[in-house]
Amino acid sequence: MSTFVVIGGDAAGMSAASKAKREDPDLDVVVFERGRWVSYGACGLPYYVKGEIQSLDDLVSVTPEQFREDRDIDLRTGHEVVDVDPDDRTVTARADGSEVVQEYDHLLVSTGSAPVIPPIDGIDRTGVFTLGSMSDGTDLREYVGRARNDGDLQQPDRGPACQFLETCSGPVGIVGGGYIGIEMAEALAANGFEVHLFQRGDRILTQFSAATSEAVLDHLHEQDVAVYLDAEVQELPGGERVEAVETSDGRVPVEMVLVGTGVRPRTELAEAAGIELGETGAIATDRFRETNVSDVYAAGDCAEAEHVVTGAATYVPLALTANRHGRAVGQTVAGDPTEGGGVAGTAAVKAFDMEAARTGLLGEQAERAGFDPMTETIDAKSRAGYYPEGGTVRVTLTVDRPSGRVVGGSLVSEYGEGAVHRSHAVVGAVTEGVTVDDLSNYDLAYAPPFNTMWDPVLTAAKVIEGNR
Amino acid sequence: MSTFVVIGGDAAGMSAASKAKREDPDLDVVVFERGRWVSYGACGLPYYVKGEIQSLDDLVSVTPEQFREDRDIDLRTGHEVVDVDPDDRTVTARADGSEVVQEYDHLLVSTGSAPVIPPIDGIDRTGVFTLGSMSDGTDLREYVGRARNDGDLQQPDRGPACQFLETCSGPVGIVGGGYIGIEMAEALAANGFEVHLFQRGDRILTQFSAATSEAVLDHLHEQDVAVYLDAEVQELPGGERVEAVETSDGRVPVEMVLVGTGVRPRTELAEAAGIELGETGAIATDRFRETNVSDVYAAGDCAEAEHVVTGAATYVPLALTANRHGRAVGQTVAGDPTEGGGVAGTAAVKAFDMEAARTGLLGEQAERAGFDPMTETIDAKSRAGYYPEGGTVRVTLTVDRPSGRVVGGSLVSEYGEGAVHRSHAVVGAVTEGVTVDDLSNYDLAYAPPFNTMWDPVLTAAKVIEGNR
C-alpha cells in the first residue's frame, strides 16, 4: 500500500488529497495542517469582515470531519510539519509538544503564502492587521464589531484591536492598493469607517491596465475613500497602539491599519529539505508540479507555475491555480499523470460598485517578456444604447504588434455589467495565442440586454487591429 | 472612379457602405433602401413594444441624414430595387412610380430576411402580427398602448389591431417558442396581458440545449405564461378579427396573435439575377462573401456563412454576423480583401428574469455534422456559496467523445448572473477547437462576487472530461 502525504490543508492540499483518494481508494492519504481550519475560502475574508457573511464556518466548503469520514482522508489538524527528509522519505510533524514521523511514497508541499510584512517602523503596534488567515479575519471582524457596537457580531474575547479604546470609530488606514487593500476599503467603508488608502506607486491595482486603475481610483474617490498615491509609508507612529500613518507628505491620524502589500511563498520547510526554488522565490516545479526531488510535488501559493503566454516560470498565488494544480497532483499520484495547465495571471476584484478583471501580459509586462506590444483602451456601452440602465465597459488589450497576437487584457465596469465574465473571452484568446483580428471576428453572444451588437471585447479588438 | 452599390440599408448594408467609404473616400457608394428606416436595431423591437424604449428613433444608431452628410454615402431611401443585371452591371430601382438605373462596379446584396408566415388558416386576420420590421413594431406598440389605454404611448392613427374593439385587454396568443416568441411574451406580460404561447415541438428554444429549454420553461410558468407544447396550430379562427388559437387539443380564446416562427432569407431579387443559393435556401458565398457572380457580394440575413466548427455553409441570420460581414465586404471592395470570419451559431436571449446563450453544435446537431457527441449538463452557483445573493448557472457542453473537442454549449441563469457573458469562454473554445480538458484548465477570472473558484464553465468542462 502506498502513502501520499500532504503538508498544508488549504486549496491545493485538500484538492490533491481528495482527488488522489477518489481516484485510488487504496492509497493512504495523510494531511498535516498546523491550524484548525482546512479548505477555507480566504478570498471570502473581506466579506466576512464587511458583515455580509455571518460566520467563518460559512467559508469552509468541506469540514475536517467530512474529509475524515466521507472521504477517508487521514487529516491531522493542529500538526505542524517541522522537517522533511527526502532520503528517508519521511516528514516529522509536531502536535501538542510531541512529534510524529510519517513515511511517504509521494509528498505534496502546499504550505501556501504569508502576507508580506514591510519593514516599516511601528508595524508591530497593536491595531495593525494583515489579512492572510482565518484568525486575521476574526480579529478584523471583532475590531469592526466593537467599533460599531453591534451586538449581532461575534465578540468572543476582548481582542487586540480595541483593547485600549472604549469604542473604535476610525479613521482607518490601509497600506497597499491591491486586491486586499481595495476589498478591505469596501468592507470598512460599508461599516461606516473613514478610510485612508496609501499606495506606494503612482496608481492602484498595478497588475491591471492603467486605464482600469484610473476607473477604479475615480470610483474610490466617489465612495469617499481618501487615496494617497506615491505615498511611501515611513512609519506607523503611536504608543503601544498605532495612532497614525506617516508618509513623506505628512501624518494622517488613524485608529487601525490594514497592511495589504502582497504575499510571499512559504518555502522555509522546502528549502531546508533541499527542494529548489525558482527565480521568483517560490518553489520550482515541472509541468506536473514535481520539484527537483523525485516524488515531491509543490502546488498552490508556495509554488511557481508556467505562464500560458511565455511558458516561463511565474509566481501568481491565486486560489483557482492552487485548486487546479492540487487536483492534478492528486491525479498524478493516483497513477494518471496530469499537468493541470499553466497560469494566465488572471485576477478579478470587486471594488464597491465596480468590477475589474485582468489576464495575461499588459503593456510593460509584455515588453519585458520580449514582445513588441501595443496597448489600447476603449470605452463601450455594456448594453444596447437604447436598452434601459447599463453602463460602461472599459477594455484594454495588449497585442504583439508584429504578429497581432493578443497577450493581455484588462476590463472594468460597474458591478453587474460584466467586465469580469466578459474577460473569459480574453483569457481564451491569450491562452490559445489568438490574433486580435481573429478575436474581432468571434461570434460572441449578442442581445440588447447584454451588449451592443459588437461586445466591448470585440470593439476593442476591432479598434486595435485597425490601428496596428 | 469606381461605384459600390448596396441593396438594403440595414446592418450588413450600412456597415459595408460606411466601411468602404471610410477606407476609400474616392469610391462612390450608393445604397438603395426601399423603406424609410436604415441601420435600425430590430433586436430592440420587443423592448419598444414592452415600453422600455420610448421611440423607434432610439433604435436607430445612425440616421439617414448622418449617412448622407457625415459619411458622404448616396443613400436613397424609398427606393426598391426591382432588377439586377450582372451582364450590364446595373441595378434598377423604383421610387415614387419612376425608375432609375444605376451602374455598379461592386454590388452587395443585403436584402435581409422576412418572417416565415406558416400556412395556417386565418393567419391573415386582423390582430395577427409578426415582428420583422419597424412598422410591425409600431403596430404592436399601438396595440399594447390602446389595450392599456395609456395616453403616454404613441397612438398616431387608429391602427389595425384594435379597430373592432373599444379596448383590447387580452388574452393574447404567441405562436412559436423561439427568441421572438419569448421576448414578446415578456413584453406583453409586462403590460398586463395574459399570455398563451404555442410551440409545435416538445420544447421551447429548440436551438438551445434541452436543459436550457427546461429552465426557461419553468420560469415562464412562474411568470404565469401558459405554454402549450406539442401544440401545432391548426387555425386562427374568428371573423374579420382573430378570436382564438386552435390546436388539436382545443381552442384558446385570444384577442391578438403574434407569430414568431422564424425567418427566411429574402432571395427573390438575387435568384432572378442568376445568383446561386445554397442548400439552406440562402445565398451561397465564398469566405469573402462573394457570390457565384463576380463582384457581387451577399451578406447578412439573406446569405449563408461558413460554420466555425464544420466549415460547412449554414444559415444563421443574426445581427452581429450581418454587421461583421457587411464591414468585411466594405473593406474588400475598398481594396483590402477581408474574410470577416465564420459563424458559431451563437445566440442570446433574455426571458423575463432569466438569460440564456448557446453556441456551436449541440447534441444531435453535432451528430448530424459527423461527430460522436456526448452532452452533459451541470448546475453550479453563480457566486461563491457564502457570498450574498447569486443564483444558479446551468451549463450544457457538447463534446466530441474521441477527440475531446468542445463543439457546442448552452448556458442559462437568472438575469444578471452571467450565463450570456460566461458563454464567451465557450465561443472561444468552439472557435479554436479546444479540447474539454484544456478548457477545464483555463485560468478564468475568479473572485467570490463573480463565481465559485471554478467558474461554472470550468466545472462543466471538468465533469464532462471526467466522464468521457
Side-chain angles (χ1 to χ4, degrees), chain B residues 440-451:
Chain B
S440 77
N441 286 331
Y442 270 19
D443 190 14
L444 296 184
Y446 158 66
F450 309 104
N451 37 21

Side-chain angles (χ1 to χ4, degrees), chain A residues 44 53 323-324 327 340 344-346 383 386 415 421-422 424 432 434 441-443 445 449-450 453-455 462, chain B residues 44 53 320 323-324 327 340 344-346 386 415 421-422 424 432 441-443 445 449-450 453-455 462:
Chain A
I53 298 164
N323 199 301
R324 200 172 72 230
R327 188 171 180 274
T346 313
R383 313 185 194 185
Y386 50 76
Y415 182 55
H421 297 143
R422 291 179 215 260
H424 285 9
E432 302 301 330
V434 172
N441 287 332
Y442 270 19
D443 190 15
F450 309 104
M453 205 180 295
W454 297 72
D455 189 89
K462 186 172 60 166
Chain B
I53 298 165
L320 173 60
N323 199 302
R324 201 173 70 229
R327 188 170 180 275
T346 313
Y386 51 75
Y415 181 55
H421 297 144
R422 290 180 216 258
H424 286 10
E432 302 301 329
N441 286 331
Y442 270 19
D443 190 14
F450 309 104
M453 207 181 292
W454 297 72
D455 189 89
K462 186 172 60 166

Side-chain angles (χ1 to χ4, degrees), chain A residues 131-371:
Chain A
L131 188 63
S133 66
M134 295 291 257
S135 65
D136 289 342
T138 306
D139 291 346
L140 278 159
R141 170 98 165 209
E142 187 188 341
Y143 172 81
V144 168
R146 284 173 185 260
R148 294 176 68 196
N149 279 328
D150 184 339
D152 287 335
L153 291 173
Q154 294 180 343
Q155 300 192 23
D157 294 309
R158 189 163 178 81
C162 299
Q163 56 187 317
F164 301 104
L165 295 173
E166 279 303 301
T167 60
C168 309
S169 60
V172 297
I174 294 175
V175 180
Y179 323 125
I180 294 287
I182 284 172
E183 288 168 351
M184 285 302 298
E186 175 185 328
L188 292 166
N191 282 282
F193 291 93
E194 180 187 308
V195 178
H196 298 260
L197 189 149
F198 302 85
Q199 169 72 342
R200 191 165 57 174
D202 61 358
R203 63 182 177 97
I204 58 171
L205 289 175
T206 51
Q207 294 300 307
F208 291 64
S209 74
T212 296
S213 299
E214 191 186 330
V216 176
L217 179 64
D218 289 348
H219 185 58
L220 292 182
H221 288 151
E222 283 168 13
Q223 298 288 330
D224 293 326
V225 174
V227 180
Y228 306 79
L229 297 178
D230 294 315
E232 182 96 42
V233 175
Q234 298 174 328
E235 191 187 347
L236 298 175
E240 191 155 349
R241 187 180 173 80
V242 67
E243 289 171 6
V245 176
E246 184 160 312
T247 71
S248 54
D249 288 336
R251 178 178 287 214
V252 178
V254 297
E255 294 183 353
M256 180 273 249
V257 172
L258 184 281
V259 178
T261 49
V263 300
R264 61 166 186 83
R266 289 188 198 269
T267 57
E268 295 81 355
L269 197 61
E271 284 181 272
I275 297 170
E276 284 176 9
L277 308 187
E279 283 185 14
T280 69
I283 300 171
T285 75
D286 65 13
R287 292 188 177 216
F288 293 90
R289 316 304 146 206
E290 195 169 8
T291 68
N292 64 307
V293 179
S294 187
D295 296 323
V296 177
Y297 300 82
D301 284 10
C302 63
E304 294 182 334
E306 70 279 8
H307 198 284
V308 297
V309 174
T310 61
T314 183
Y315 179 59
V316 187
L318 287 172
L320 173 60
T321 306
N323 199 301
R324 200 172 72 230
H325 287 174
R327 188 171 180 274
V329 169
Q331 203 159 342
T332 298
V333 164
D336 177 16
T338 302
E339 292 198 5
V343 298
T346 313
V349 65
K350 175 173 179 288
F352 292 85
D353 300 326
M354 297 196 82
E355 60 177 79
R358 61 90 60 218
T359 189
L361 304 172
L362 289 163
E364 290 174 4
Q365 297 166 344
E367 203 167 340
R368 281 196 297 273
F371 294 100

Side-chain angles (χ1 to χ4, degrees), chain A residues 11 15 40-45 47 50 52-53 58-60 183 186 308 316 319-321 323-324 327 338-350 354-359 382-383 385-388 415-425 427-429 431-432 434 437-438 440-451 453-455 457-458 462, chain B residues 11 40-45 47 50 52-53 58-60 183 186 308 316 319-321 323-324 327 338-350 354-359 382-383 385-388 415-418 420-425 427-429 431-432 434 437-438 440-451 453-455 457-458 462-463 466:
Chain A
S15 297
Y40 57 88
C43 310
L45 287 174
Y47 307 101
K50 187 178 178 184
E52 290 183 328
I53 298 164
D58 295 339
L59 298 183
V60 174
E183 288 168 351
E186 175 185 328
V308 297
V316 187
L320 173 60
T321 306
N323 199 301
R324 200 172 72 230
R327 188 171 180 274
T338 302
E339 292 198 5
V343 298
T346 313
V349 65
K350 175 173 179 288
M354 297 196 82
E355 60 177 79
R358 61 90 60 218
T359 189
S382 64
R383 313 185 194 185
Y386 50 76
Y387 194 83
Y415 182 55
E417 296 304 320
V420 171
H421 297 143
R422 291 179 215 260
S423 78
H424 285 9
V427 173
T431 305
E432 302 301 330
V434 172
D437 188 31
D438 284 345
S440 76
N441 287 332
Y442 270 19
D443 190 15
L444 296 184
Y446 158 66
F450 309 104
N451 36 21
M453 205 180 295
W454 297 72
D455 189 89
V457 171
L458 299 178
K462 186 172 60 166
Chain B
Y40 57 89
C43 310
L45 287 174
Y47 307 101
K50 187 178 179 184
E52 289 183 328
I53 298 165
D58 294 339
L59 299 183
V60 173
E183 288 169 351
E186 175 185 327
V308 296
V316 187
L320 173 60
T321 307
N323 199 302
R324 201 173 70 229
R327 188 170 180 275
T338 302
E339 293 197 4
V343 298
T346 313
V349 66
K350 175 174 178 288
M354 296 196 83
E355 60 177 78
R358 61 89 60 216
T359 189
S382 64
R383 313 185 194 185
Y386 51 75
Y387 195 83
Y415 181 55
E417 297 303 320
V420 170
H421 297 144
R422 290 180 216 258
S423 79
H424 286 10
V427 174
T431 305
E432 302 301 329
V434 172
D437 188 30
D438 284 345
S440 77
N441 286 331
Y442 270 19
D443 190 14
L444 296 184
Y446 158 66
F450 309 104
N451 37 21
M453 207 181 292
W454 297 72
D455 189 89
V457 170
L458 299 178
K462 186 172 60 166
V463 168

Side-chain angles (χ1 to χ4, degrees), chain B residues 340-393:
Chain B
V343 298
T346 313
V349 66
K350 175 174 178 288
F352 293 84
D353 300 325
M354 296 196 83
E355 60 177 78
R358 61 89 60 216
T359 189
L361 304 171
L362 288 164
E364 290 175 4
Q365 297 165 344
E367 202 167 339
R368 283 196 296 274
F371 293 99
D372 173 13
M374 60 186 290
T375 299
E376 296 199 17
T377 298
I378 60 106
D379 284 350
K381 287 179 173 140
S382 64
R383 313 185 194 185
Y386 51 75
Y387 195 83
E389 303 180 8
T392 300
V393 184

